[in-house]
PDB file of all heavy atoms in Angstrom:
ATOM      1  N   LYS A  18      44.126   6.490 -25.426  1.00 68.00           N
ATOM      2  CA  LYS A  18      44.757   7.461 -24.539  1.00 68.00           C
ATOM      3  C   LYS A  18      45.770   6.807 -23.608  1.00 68.00           C
ATOM      4  O   LYS A  18      46.745   7.439 -23.190  1.00 68.00           O
ATOM      5  CB  LYS A  18      43.698   8.187 -23.723  1.00 68.00           C
ATOM      6  CG  LYS A  18      42.695   8.969 -24.563  1.00 68.00           C
ATOM      7  CD  LYS A  18      41.614   9.563 -23.681  1.00 68.00           C
ATOM      8  CE  LYS A  18      40.562  10.299 -24.514  1.00 68.00           C
ATOM      9  NZ  LYS A  18      39.457  10.831 -23.673  1.00 68.00           N
ATOM     10  N   GLY A  19      45.511   5.559 -23.225  1.00 70.00           N
ATOM     11  CA  GLY A  19      46.423   4.859 -22.325  1.00 70.00           C
ATOM     12  C   GLY A  19      46.167   5.109 -20.862  1.00 70.00           C
ATOM     13  O   GLY A  19      46.869   4.567 -20.007  1.00 70.00           O
ATOM     14  N   LEU A  20      45.136   5.890 -20.559  1.00 77.00           N
ATOM     15  CA  LEU A  20      44.869   6.208 -19.154  1.00 77.00           C
ATOM     16  C   LEU A  20      44.390   4.983 -18.385  1.00 77.00           C
ATOM     17  O   LEU A  20      44.718   4.806 -17.207  1.00 77.00           O
ATOM     18  CB  LEU A  20      43.847   7.338 -19.063  1.00 77.00           C
ATOM     19  CG  LEU A  20      44.278   8.672 -19.691  1.00 77.00           C
ATOM     20  CD1 LEU A  20      43.164   9.707 -19.564  1.00 77.00           C
ATOM     21  CD2 LEU A  20      45.553   9.178 -19.027  1.00 77.00           C
ATOM     22  N   LYS A  21      43.600   4.126 -19.062  1.00 82.00           N
ATOM     23  CA  LYS A  21      43.138   2.908 -18.399  1.00 82.00           C
ATOM     24  C   LYS A  21      44.315   2.002 -18.031  1.00 82.00           C
ATOM     25  O   LYS A  21      44.377   1.457 -16.924  1.00 82.00           O
ATOM     26  CB  LYS A  21      42.172   2.151 -19.309  1.00 82.00           C
ATOM     27  CG  LYS A  21      40.759   2.727 -19.375  1.00 82.00           C
ATOM     28  CD  LYS A  21      39.850   1.773 -20.136  1.00 82.00           C
ATOM     29  CE  LYS A  21      38.410   2.265 -20.105  1.00 82.00           C
ATOM     30  NZ  LYS A  21      37.499   1.327 -20.810  1.00 82.00           N
ATOM     31  N   VAL A  22      45.222   1.843 -18.958  1.00 84.00           N
ATOM     32  CA  VAL A  22      46.389   1.008 -18.695  1.00 84.00           C
ATOM     33  C   VAL A  22      47.210   1.590 -17.557  1.00 84.00           C
ATOM     34  O   VAL A  22      47.644   0.865 -16.650  1.00 84.00           O
ATOM     35  CB  VAL A  22      47.246   0.870 -19.970  1.00 84.00           C
ATOM     36  CG1 VAL A  22      48.567   0.175 -19.655  1.00 84.00           C
ATOM     37  CG2 VAL A  22      46.498   0.104 -21.045  1.00 84.00           C
ATOM     38  N   ASP A  23      47.404   2.893 -17.554  1.00 85.00           N
ATOM     39  CA  ASP A  23      48.179   3.544 -16.492  1.00 85.00           C
ATOM     40  C   ASP A  23      47.546   3.290 -15.126  1.00 85.00           C
ATOM     41  O   ASP A  23      48.241   2.958 -14.157  1.00 85.00           O
ATOM     42  CB  ASP A  23      48.274   5.053 -16.750  1.00 85.00           C
ATOM     43  CG  ASP A  23      49.124   5.385 -17.961  1.00 85.00           C
ATOM     44  OD1 ASP A  23      49.893   4.507 -18.404  1.00 85.00           O
ATOM     45  OD2 ASP A  23      49.024   6.513 -18.465  1.00 85.00           O
ATOM     46  N   ARG A  24      46.219   3.456 -15.055  1.00 89.00           N
ATOM     47  CA  ARG A  24      45.531   3.277 -13.768  1.00 89.00           C
ATOM     48  C   ARG A  24      45.626   1.838 -13.284  1.00 89.00           C
ATOM     49  O   ARG A  24      45.806   1.589 -12.079  1.00 89.00           O
ATOM     50  CB  ARG A  24      44.068   3.697 -13.898  1.00 89.00           C
ATOM     51  CG  ARG A  24      43.861   5.212 -13.947  1.00 89.00           C
ATOM     52  CD  ARG A  24      42.409   5.562 -13.693  1.00 89.00           C
ATOM     53  NE  ARG A  24      41.540   5.040 -14.737  1.00 89.00           N
ATOM     54  CZ  ARG A  24      41.177   5.716 -15.826  1.00 89.00           C
ATOM     55  NH1 ARG A  24      41.635   6.942 -16.021  1.00 89.00           N
ATOM     56  NH2 ARG A  24      40.371   5.172 -16.719  1.00 89.00           N
ATOM     57  N   ARG A  25      45.520   0.885 -14.208  1.00 90.00           N
ATOM     58  CA  ARG A  25      45.546  -0.522 -13.796  1.00 90.00           C
ATOM     59  C   ARG A  25      46.939  -0.957 -13.365  1.00 90.00           C
ATOM     60  O   ARG A  25      47.079  -1.731 -12.415  1.00 90.00           O
ATOM     61  CB  ARG A  25      45.025  -1.391 -14.939  1.00 90.00           C
ATOM     62  CG  ARG A  25      43.545  -1.129 -15.161  1.00 90.00           C
ATOM     63  CD  ARG A  25      42.982  -1.853 -16.358  1.00 90.00           C
ATOM     64  NE  ARG A  25      41.648  -1.314 -16.661  1.00 90.00           N
ATOM     65  CZ  ARG A  25      40.782  -1.889 -17.477  1.00 90.00           C
ATOM     66  NH1 ARG A  25      41.091  -3.017 -18.065  1.00 90.00           N
ATOM     67  NH2 ARG A  25      39.617  -1.334 -17.696  1.00 90.00           N
ATOM     68  N   LEU A  26      47.936  -0.478 -14.036  1.00 93.00           N
ATOM     69  CA  LEU A  26      49.296  -0.793 -13.593  1.00 93.00           C
ATOM     70  C   LEU A  26      49.575  -0.202 -12.222  1.00 93.00           C
ATOM     71  O   LEU A  26      50.206  -0.839 -11.367  1.00 93.00           O
ATOM     72  CB  LEU A  26      50.315  -0.279 -14.611  1.00 93.00           C
ATOM     73  CG  LEU A  26      50.350  -0.997 -15.966  1.00 93.00           C
ATOM     74  CD1 LEU A  26      51.337  -0.305 -16.902  1.00 93.00           C
ATOM     75  CD2 LEU A  26      50.722  -2.467 -15.809  1.00 93.00           C
ATOM     76  N   GLU A  27      49.094   1.005 -11.991  1.00 93.00           N
ATOM     77  CA  GLU A  27      49.299   1.624 -10.682  1.00 93.00           C
ATOM     78  C   GLU A  27      48.510   0.893  -9.603  1.00 93.00           C
ATOM     79  O   GLU A  27      48.993   0.706  -8.478  1.00 93.00           O
ATOM     80  CB  GLU A  27      48.885   3.093 -10.724  1.00 93.00           C
ATOM     81  CG  GLU A  27      49.140   3.824  -9.409  1.00 93.00           C
ATOM     82  CD  GLU A  27      48.866   5.306  -9.513  1.00 93.00           C
ATOM     83  OE1 GLU A  27      48.316   5.747 -10.556  1.00 93.00           O
ATOM     84  OE2 GLU A  27      49.187   6.034  -8.550  1.00 93.00           O
ATOM     85  N   GLU A  28      47.279   0.467  -9.934  1.00 93.00           N
ATOM     86  CA  GLU A  28      46.450  -0.235  -8.953  1.00 93.00           C
ATOM     87  C   GLU A  28      47.094  -1.533  -8.491  1.00 93.00           C
ATOM     88  O   GLU A  28      47.058  -1.871  -7.296  1.00 93.00           O
ATOM     89  CB  GLU A  28      45.075  -0.536  -9.567  1.00 93.00           C
ATOM     90  CG  GLU A  28      44.163  -1.368  -8.657  1.00 93.00           C
ATOM     91  CD  GLU A  28      42.869  -1.777  -9.339  1.00 93.00           C
ATOM     92  OE1 GLU A  28      42.629  -1.362 -10.503  1.00 93.00           O
ATOM     93  OE2 GLU A  28      42.096  -2.526  -8.714  1.00 93.00           O
ATOM     94  N   HIS A  29      47.692  -2.277  -9.420  1.00 94.00           N
ATOM     95  CA  HIS A  29      48.174  -3.614  -9.075  1.00 94.00           C
ATOM     96  C   HIS A  29      49.659  -3.658  -8.704  1.00 94.00           C
ATOM     97  O   HIS A  29      50.072  -4.542  -7.948  1.00 94.00           O
ATOM     98  CB  HIS A  29      47.889  -4.569 -10.236  1.00 94.00           C
ATOM     99  CG  HIS A  29      46.423  -4.789 -10.464  1.00 94.00           C
ATOM    100  ND1 HIS A  29      45.654  -5.582  -9.663  1.00 94.00           N
ATOM    101  CD2 HIS A  29      45.573  -4.264 -11.405  1.00 94.00           C
ATOM    102  CE1 HIS A  29      44.399  -5.578 -10.088  1.00 94.00           C
ATOM    103  NE2 HIS A  29      44.321  -4.783 -11.135  1.00 94.00           N
ATOM    104  N   PHE A  30      50.444  -2.727  -9.203  1.00 96.00           N
ATOM    105  CA  PHE A  30      51.875  -2.767  -8.890  1.00 96.00           C
ATOM    106  C   PHE A  30      52.329  -1.595  -8.032  1.00 96.00           C
ATOM    107  O   PHE A  30      53.452  -1.609  -7.526  1.00 96.00           O
ATOM    108  CB  PHE A  30      52.696  -2.824 -10.190  1.00 96.00           C
ATOM    109  CG  PHE A  30      52.470  -4.091 -10.975  1.00 96.00           C
ATOM    110  CD1 PHE A  30      51.684  -4.090 -12.112  1.00 96.00           C
ATOM    111  CD2 PHE A  30      53.029  -5.279 -10.548  1.00 96.00           C
ATOM    112  CE1 PHE A  30      51.464  -5.255 -12.845  1.00 96.00           C
ATOM    113  CE2 PHE A  30      52.820  -6.460 -11.265  1.00 96.00           C
ATOM    114  CZ  PHE A  30      52.034  -6.446 -12.408  1.00 96.00           C
ATOM    115  N   GLY A  31      51.457  -0.602  -7.873  1.00 94.00           N
ATOM    116  CA  GLY A  31      51.735   0.492  -6.959  1.00 94.00           C
ATOM    117  C   GLY A  31      53.114   1.095  -7.140  1.00 94.00           C
ATOM    118  O   GLY A  31      53.528   1.427  -8.245  1.00 94.00           O
ATOM    119  N   ASP A  32      53.830   1.208  -6.017  1.00 94.00           N
ATOM    120  CA  ASP A  32      55.163   1.801  -6.041  1.00 94.00           C
ATOM    121  C   ASP A  32      56.270   0.746  -5.921  1.00 94.00           C
ATOM    122  O   ASP A  32      57.381   1.033  -5.449  1.00 94.00           O
ATOM    123  CB  ASP A  32      55.300   2.812  -4.898  1.00 94.00           C
ATOM    124  CG  ASP A  32      54.408   4.025  -5.100  1.00 94.00           C
ATOM    125  OD1 ASP A  32      54.181   4.386  -6.274  1.00 94.00           O
ATOM    126  OD2 ASP A  32      53.937   4.595  -4.099  1.00 94.00           O
ATOM    127  N   MET A  33      55.965  -0.473  -6.330  1.00 96.00           N
ATOM    128  CA  MET A  33      56.982  -1.528  -6.285  1.00 96.00           C
ATOM    129  C   MET A  33      58.193  -1.123  -7.119  1.00 96.00           C
ATOM    130  O   MET A  33      58.055  -0.621  -8.230  1.00 96.00           O
ATOM    131  CB  MET A  33      56.428  -2.844  -6.845  1.00 96.00           C
ATOM    132  CG  MET A  33      55.389  -3.529  -6.012  1.00 96.00           C
ATOM    133  SD  MET A  33      54.953  -5.123  -6.798  1.00 96.00           S
ATOM    134  CE  MET A  33      53.626  -5.660  -5.712  1.00 96.00           C
ATOM    135  N   MET A  34      59.375  -1.387  -6.575  1.00 96.00           N
ATOM    136  CA  MET A  34      60.619  -1.175  -7.308  1.00 96.00           C
ATOM    137  C   MET A  34      61.138  -2.527  -7.798  1.00 96.00           C
ATOM    138  O   MET A  34      61.027  -3.539  -7.105  1.00 96.00           O
ATOM    139  CB  MET A  34      61.660  -0.508  -6.407  1.00 96.00           C
ATOM    140  CG  MET A  34      61.208   0.817  -5.802  1.00 96.00           C
ATOM    141  SD  MET A  34      60.886   2.088  -7.052  1.00 96.00           S
ATOM    142  CE  MET A  34      62.550   2.434  -7.628  1.00 96.00           C
ATOM    143  N   ILE A  35      61.697  -2.538  -8.973  1.00 97.00           N
ATOM    144  CA  ILE A  35      62.194  -3.788  -9.544  1.00 97.00           C
ATOM    145  C   ILE A  35      63.230  -4.430  -8.626  1.00 97.00           C
ATOM    146  O   ILE A  35      63.229  -5.653  -8.424  1.00 97.00           O
ATOM    147  CB  ILE A  35      62.792  -3.524 -10.942  1.00 97.00           C
ATOM    148  CG1 ILE A  35      61.682  -3.128 -11.924  1.00 97.00           C
ATOM    149  CG2 ILE A  35      63.530  -4.756 -11.458  1.00 97.00           C
ATOM    150  CD1 ILE A  35      62.184  -2.751 -13.301  1.00 97.00           C
ATOM    151  N   GLU A  36      64.102  -3.619  -8.019  1.00 96.00           N
ATOM    152  CA  GLU A  36      65.164  -4.163  -7.167  1.00 96.00           C
ATOM    153  C   GLU A  36      64.624  -4.811  -5.898  1.00 96.00           C
ATOM    154  O   GLU A  36      65.333  -5.594  -5.259  1.00 96.00           O
ATOM    155  CB  GLU A  36      66.152  -3.068  -6.761  1.00 96.00           C
ATOM    156  CG  GLU A  36      66.736  -2.291  -7.913  1.00 96.00           C
ATOM    157  CD  GLU A  36      65.964  -1.005  -8.193  1.00 96.00           C
ATOM    158  OE1 GLU A  36      64.716  -1.066  -8.264  1.00 96.00           O
ATOM    159  OE2 GLU A  36      66.597   0.041  -8.335  1.00 96.00           O
ATOM    160  N   SER A  37      63.371  -4.484  -5.525  1.00 94.00           N
ATOM    161  CA  SER A  37      62.814  -5.008  -4.285  1.00 94.00           C
ATOM    162  C   SER A  37      61.969  -6.255  -4.491  1.00 94.00           C
ATOM    163  O   SER A  37      61.453  -6.818  -3.517  1.00 94.00           O
ATOM    164  CB  SER A  37      61.960  -3.925  -3.597  1.00 94.00           C
ATOM    165  OG  SER A  37      62.754  -2.801  -3.264  1.00 94.00           O
ATOM    166  N   LEU A  38      61.795  -6.699  -5.713  1.00 96.00           N
ATOM    167  CA  LEU A  38      60.988  -7.883  -5.985  1.00 96.00           C
ATOM    168  C   LEU A  38      61.645  -9.127  -5.410  1.00 96.00           C
ATOM    169  O   LEU A  38      62.867  -9.206  -5.282  1.00 96.00           O
ATOM    170  CB  LEU A  38      60.783  -8.046  -7.494  1.00 96.00           C
ATOM    171  CG  LEU A  38      59.972  -6.930  -8.166  1.00 96.00           C
ATOM    172  CD1 LEU A  38      60.011  -7.096  -9.694  1.00 96.00           C
ATOM    173  CD2 LEU A  38      58.533  -6.920  -7.670  1.00 96.00           C
ATOM    174  N   ASP A  39      60.824 -10.116  -5.069  1.00 94.00           N
ATOM    175  CA  ASP A  39      61.337 -11.341  -4.450  1.00 94.00           C
ATOM    176  C   ASP A  39      62.343 -12.059  -5.347  1.00 94.00           C
ATOM    177  O   ASP A  39      63.321 -12.638  -4.873  1.00 94.00           O
ATOM    178  CB  ASP A  39      60.176 -12.297  -4.139  1.00 94.00           C
ATOM    179  CG  ASP A  39      59.285 -11.792  -3.014  1.00 94.00           C
ATOM    180  OD1 ASP A  39      59.609 -10.739  -2.426  1.00 94.00           O
ATOM    181  OD2 ASP A  39      58.266 -12.443  -2.720  1.00 94.00           O
ATOM    182  N   ILE A  40      62.068 -12.053  -6.654  1.00 96.00           N
ATOM    183  CA  ILE A  40      62.891 -12.782  -7.616  1.00 96.00           C
ATOM    184  C   ILE A  40      63.506 -11.779  -8.584  1.00 96.00           C
ATOM    185  O   ILE A  40      62.810 -10.859  -9.041  1.00 96.00           O
ATOM    186  CB  ILE A  40      62.032 -13.809  -8.393  1.00 96.00           C
ATOM    187  CG1 ILE A  40      61.418 -14.821  -7.422  1.00 96.00           C
ATOM    188  CG2 ILE A  40      62.854 -14.516  -9.458  1.00 96.00           C
ATOM    189  CD1 ILE A  40      60.441 -15.777  -8.086  1.00 96.00           C
ATOM    190  N   PRO A  41      64.790 -11.912  -8.920  1.00 97.00           N
ATOM    191  CA  PRO A  41      65.392 -11.008  -9.908  1.00 97.00           C
ATOM    192  C   PRO A  41      64.577 -10.978 -11.203  1.00 97.00           C
ATOM    193  O   PRO A  41      64.248 -12.019 -11.771  1.00 97.00           O
ATOM    194  CB  PRO A  41      66.786 -11.607 -10.127  1.00 97.00           C
ATOM    195  CG  PRO A  41      67.088 -12.302  -8.837  1.00 97.00           C
ATOM    196  CD  PRO A  41      65.778 -12.856  -8.358  1.00 97.00           C
ATOM    197  N   PHE A  42      64.282  -9.758 -11.672  1.00 98.00           N
ATOM    198  CA  PHE A  42      63.319  -9.564 -12.767  1.00 98.00           C
ATOM    199  C   PHE A  42      63.878  -8.579 -13.789  1.00 98.00           C
ATOM    200  O   PHE A  42      64.655  -7.684 -13.456  1.00 98.00           O
ATOM    201  CB  PHE A  42      62.013  -9.022 -12.189  1.00 98.00           C
ATOM    202  CG  PHE A  42      61.058  -8.437 -13.212  1.00 98.00           C
ATOM    203  CD1 PHE A  42      60.178  -9.247 -13.904  1.00 98.00           C
ATOM    204  CD2 PHE A  42      61.050  -7.070 -13.476  1.00 98.00           C
ATOM    205  CE1 PHE A  42      59.311  -8.715 -14.850  1.00 98.00           C
ATOM    206  CE2 PHE A  42      60.190  -6.532 -14.417  1.00 98.00           C
ATOM    207  CZ  PHE A  42      59.322  -7.352 -15.111  1.00 98.00           C
ATOM    208  N   PHE A  43      63.441  -8.748 -15.041  1.00 98.00           N
ATOM    209  CA  PHE A  43      63.718  -7.746 -16.062  1.00 98.00           C
ATOM    210  C   PHE A  43      62.568  -7.718 -17.062  1.00 98.00           C
ATOM    211  O   PHE A  43      61.818  -8.690 -17.220  1.00 98.00           O
ATOM    212  CB  PHE A  43      65.024  -8.050 -16.802  1.00 98.00           C
ATOM    213  CG  PHE A  43      64.889  -9.167 -17.813  1.00 98.00           C
ATOM    214  CD1 PHE A  43      64.604  -8.893 -19.149  1.00 98.00           C
ATOM    215  CD2 PHE A  43      65.030 -10.495 -17.430  1.00 98.00           C
ATOM    216  CE1 PHE A  43      64.463  -9.921 -20.073  1.00 98.00           C
ATOM    217  CE2 PHE A  43      64.888 -11.522 -18.344  1.00 98.00           C
ATOM    218  CZ  PHE A  43      64.603 -11.231 -19.678  1.00 98.00           C
TER     219      PHE A  43
END
């Protein structure tokens, strides 16, 4: 279903935006 993966990504990365990360990321 992918619900576990969705919950874990949200738990650990929350509402982080790529542009706001300390190091340029892709």
Side-chain angles (χ1 to χ4, degrees):
K18 299 175 183 177
L20 298 179
K21 283 189 175 182
V22 172
D23 292 343
R24 285 196 296 268
R25 292 175 192 193
L26 291 176
E27 183 174 9
E28 175 186 356
H29 294 284
F30 295 104
D32 293 328
M33 290 184 185
M34 303 297 290
I35 292 176
E36 306 95 312
S37 298
L38 295 172
D39 290 356
I40 299 174
F42 165 85
F43 77 94

